[in-house]
Amino acid sequence: TVIEAVLKEPSLSGWDGFGVVVQAYSRRAPSVLDWLHALAERLDRRIMVRLVKGAYWDTEIKHAQVEGRASFPVFSRKAATDVSYLACAKKLFAMADRIYPQFATHNAHTVAGVIDLAPSGVAYEFQRLHGMGEALHETVKQKANTRCRIYAPVGAHKDLLAFLVRRLLENGANSSFVNQIVDETLPPEDVGKDPIEEIEGVQTIANPGVRESAALYAPERANSAGYDLGDLDALDNLRQGIAAALPTLPQGGNTAVESPLGEDIAHTDFMDAQQVAQALATTKMWDASVAERAAILRKAADFYERDANAIFALLMKGAGKTLTDCIAELREAVDFLRYYSAEAEARRSTGRGVFSCISPWNFPLAIFTGQIAAALAAGNGVVAKPAETTTLIAAFAVDLLHEAGVPKDALTLAPGNGSIVGPVLTGSTKVAGVAFTGSTATAKRINRTMAATLPIGTPLIAETGGLNAMVVDSTALPEQAVRDIEASAFQSAGQRCSALRCLYEQDDGFRGSQRFQHRRRTTNRCGRANQSYRIH
């Protein structure tokens, strides 16, 4: 870690000024303190540890929900954070041989708790933000002879504005001591309530007012499960599972196609035009109640998550996906299955006939699954053609759908060369609709084919590519802009439909920056005088 690397630096030997901040709202805070003490002891150093309640609690909660984490990394109750703070304070005092404890708080009960926990003769200090907690800490200093360090952010207005806004949000929260202390309607007993007593009085440690990740979309549907790649043990287990799955994967048929990223992998046998026509003729609508269809598709979603390691291996080998992108794609596919199941039940959907679903190579599981899940949930039959280069992952997905209970005559996989089987899939009179994701040129060609042979009103659901732009003006922080530019342009190997293709940068936004090359000037599109933008 960075902390360990710095403390190992020989030039810092004998210097006791190195400090680390630990947030008590983190459930791993006590373990972090243990690690810091062990590190200081091993390196024969003394360090300072500043204990705070924690910042950006709502962000931590929301990220965990969106990422599908099994649990939150922070406590979901304010009282639990206050209890954690006191527990960590007690631990810090026991580590005073290597750690100088610093307690940053504006909460009177917490201050009193720290004073009560402090052993006689152990040096420590309180800390407060400039302009806050003055009366509290001045009183404590006089009565308990404590020390208090005053800290303040230093920098330009544009850099400190976010800090100010965060402080206003924190101090304005109903649960904030700083807010409650000035509320004359609250009795002192409530403002200074013992958090331990409050926690002992709750029915569950989890806060019922904060949704767990799995219940984020309840009652409509369950959220897809995520993975914490910051957990090294979990990451190692995931890698081992993927490695173990590789030898067990199906090897496909006799048609070998080189993947877009140069992987030499086997694919399922391709169909010719006659075979696809036969598939359209024999595929039937899904003759089951909407409730039964929804239940089966939800079971398929569970099977997707059950076989995650094999799916990740296929995505890596077939489409060159990184582990992060593999997880995102699997979760999107699972969400599609559950979302369309819920929508079909809510709308009492009924099918039109047999749909041709044509999907691309860049998202060979998510888009492939989304197209057929929507059609199947409504009761349609589906003939699904994946991209030529990623048919193996499509075959695996279809097997899971069949295993879950989708009838084999309601879902047929039709791998093949697009130029050969495409006209049949989009022009056969057996087709009741087409779902397509790919280039605009191909979508227009499909539209012409359908117009020439199919009844008026036959739906074409097409998602095509576009030229996506980002505007970076002078108010943007360069480090944040660069991070977002790189993620948008290059994540998923730049193959997202929403990937950044054109960057507009205001001249004084990155003044003197050498990050971006091949610039040319263009007129100001925003109507503001004396400013211009560069196109990248």
Side-chain angles (χ1 to χ4, degrees):
T1 66
V2 173
I3 293 173
E4 183 173 1
V6 172
L7 282 180
K8 283 182 176 179
E9 175 58 39
S11 63
L12 299 182
S13 179
W15 179 58
D16 297 336
F18 187 83
V20 181
V21 178
V22 175
Q23 302 183 108
Y25 75 176
S26 171
R27 292 167 55 188
R28 64 177 185 172
S31 298
V32 172
L33 294 180
D34 289 336
W35 180 81
L36 286 170
H37 182 263
L39 180 64
E41 195 170 53
R42 176 161 55 87
L43 299 177
D44 193 22
R45 299 288 173 86
R46 280 188 58 81
I47 62 175
M48 302 181 293
V49 172
R50 177 172 177 251
L51 186 66
V52 301
K53 293 289 177 73
Y56 304 109
W57 175 88
D58 52 346
T59 300
E60 296 280 2
I61 292 291
K62 181 50 64 179
H63 281 173
Q65 289 174 329
V66 172
E67 293 169 4
R69 301 283 184 87
S71 60
F72 296 123
V74 296
F75 295 104
S76 59
R77 292 182 185 270
K78 174 66 166 62
T81 294
D82 292 337
V83 172
S84 173
Y85 193 98
L86 294 175
C88 288
K90 184 177 181 179
K91 184 179 283 286
L92 279 174
F93 282 129
M95 298 174 172
D97 60 324
R98 291 290 176 180
I99 292 176
Y100 174 56
Q102 301 170 312
F103 303 101
T105 179
H106 304 102
N107 185 306
H109 187 280
T110 303
V111 169
V114 170
I115 293 174
D116 186 63
L117 289 169
S120 177
V122 173
Y124 70 97
E125 69 180 45
F126 286 109
Q127 295 186 355
R128 69 172 179 85
L129 184 65
H130 175 67
M132 289 180 59
E134 297 177 20
L136 169 63
H137 282 286
E138 186 61 31
T139 299
V140 171
K141 180 180 178 182
Q142 292 176 3
K143 293 188 175 183
N145 196 31
T146 58
R147 290 184 285 186
C148 182
R149 188 188 303 258
I150 302 171
Y151 65 95
V154 177
H157 174 270
K158 67 176 183 178
D159 298 324
L160 298 182
L161 184 60
F163 179 85
L164 172 63
V165 170
R166 175 168 67 82
R167 285 297 181 181
L168 291 174
L169 291 173
E170 288 176 350
N171 296 336
N174 292 334
S175 60
S176 167
F177 178 87
V178 176
N179 185 353
Q180 293 178 344
I181 195 66
V182 296
D183 187 346
E184 296 181 357
T185 65
L186 289 176
E189 293 80 10
D190 289 347
V191 177
K193 189 175 182 179
D194 184 353
I196 297 177
E197 290 183 0
E198 186 174 347
I199 289 297
E200 288 177 340
V202 301
Q203 296 297 316
T204 61
I205 295 298
N207 187 344
V210 181
R211 289 195 177 192
E212 296 287 342
S213 300
L216 183 59
Y217 305 112
E220 179 187 84
R221 59 187 171 93
N223 189 14
S224 54
Y227 296 80
D228 184 3
L229 298 185
D231 183 332
L232 296 182
D233 290 335
L235 179 61
D236 187 55
N237 290 337
L238 187 56
R239 285 172 171 165
Q240 291 181 21
I242 294 171
L246 279 171
T248 66
L249 294 177
Q251 296 303 308
N254 298 322
T255 305
V257 179
E258 185 176 297
S259 80
L261 298 177
E263 296 284 351
D264 185 16
I265 59 177
H267 288 254
T268 53
D269 286 329
F270 281 5
M271 290 184 175
D272 57 28
Q274 183 177 355
Q275 290 172 313
V276 171
Q278 179 65 22
L280 286 169
T282 57
T283 300
K284 303 175 182 178
M285 293 180 65
W286 190 355
D287 184 18
S289 68
V290 65
E292 183 180 352
R293 297 195 302 266
I296 288 174
L297 291 178
R298 290 190 184 102
K299 183 184 291 186
D302 295 341
F303 288 173
Y304 272 43
E305 291 186 328
R306 179 198 67 189
D307 292 350
N309 289 337
I311 288 174
F312 293 158
L314 283 166
L315 288 171
M316 289 177 175
K317 295 293 290 183
K321 298 277 183 178
T322 64
L323 182 54
T324 300
D325 287 339
C326 285
I327 292 171
E329 180 148 7
L330 171 61
R331 295 193 64 212
E332 186 175 359
V334 169
D335 284 335
F336 274 139
L337 287 164
R338 292 172 179 163
Y339 171 78
Y340 286 122
S341 297
E343 286 294 297
E345 287 185 309
R347 300 170 185 269
R348 311 302 298 175
S349 301
T350 57
R352 298 174 54 93
V354 176
F355 261 71
S356 294
C357 293
I358 305 171
S359 55
W361 73 268
N362 57 339
F363 292 96
L365 180 70
I367 294 178
F368 177 81
T369 300
Q371 290 178 346
I372 61 181
L376 289 172
N380 296 290
V382 172
V383 175
K385 181 207 165 306
E388 293 94 318
T389 52
T390 52
T391 58
L392 206 54
I393 184 64
F396 193 86
V398 168
D399 285 346
L400 292 180
L401 287 159
H402 287 159
E403 181 186 352
V406 176
K408 292 187 176 182
D409 61 2
L411 172 59
T412 304
L413 181 67
N417 187 295
S419 61
I420 296 174
V421 303
V424 182
L425 286 167
T426 58
S428 170
T429 57
K430 300 292 184 180
V431 173
V434 176
F436 167 78
T437 300
S439 71
T440 302
T442 302
K444 289 180 177 179
R445 186 164 60 249
I446 291 173
N447 190 40
R448 290 193 295 268
T449 300
M450 293 176 65
T453 59
L454 300 182
I456 295 174
T458 303
L460 167 60
I461 305 168
E463 179 189 7
T464 62
L467 186 64
N468 299 286
M470 180 186 293
V471 178
V472 181
D473 69 12
S474 59
T475 66
L477 293 177
E479 59 271 23
Q480 291 185 353
V482 169
R483 178 197 63 194
D484 292 342
I485 289 165
E486 290 178 343
S488 182
F490 303 114
Q491 195 170 340
S492 298
Q495 294 303 315
R496 293 180 182 270
C497 297
S498 58
L500 175 61
R501 295 289 181 263
C502 188
L503 172 65
Y504 291 82
E505 176 226 334
Q506 189 174 322
D507 273 359
D508 51 355
F510 290 102
R511 191 177 306 161
S513 172
Q514 298 300 315
R515 295 178 189 270
F516 308 109
Q517 304 298 324
H518 308 296
R519 307 180 175 193
R520 68 180 178 86
R521 293 188 178 277
T522 184
T523 57
N524 175 23
R525 305 283 179 89
C526 300
R528 297 169 63 184
N530 301 320
Q531 294 177 348
S532 63
Y533 285 79
R534 296 167 177 166
I535 298 180
H536 309 283

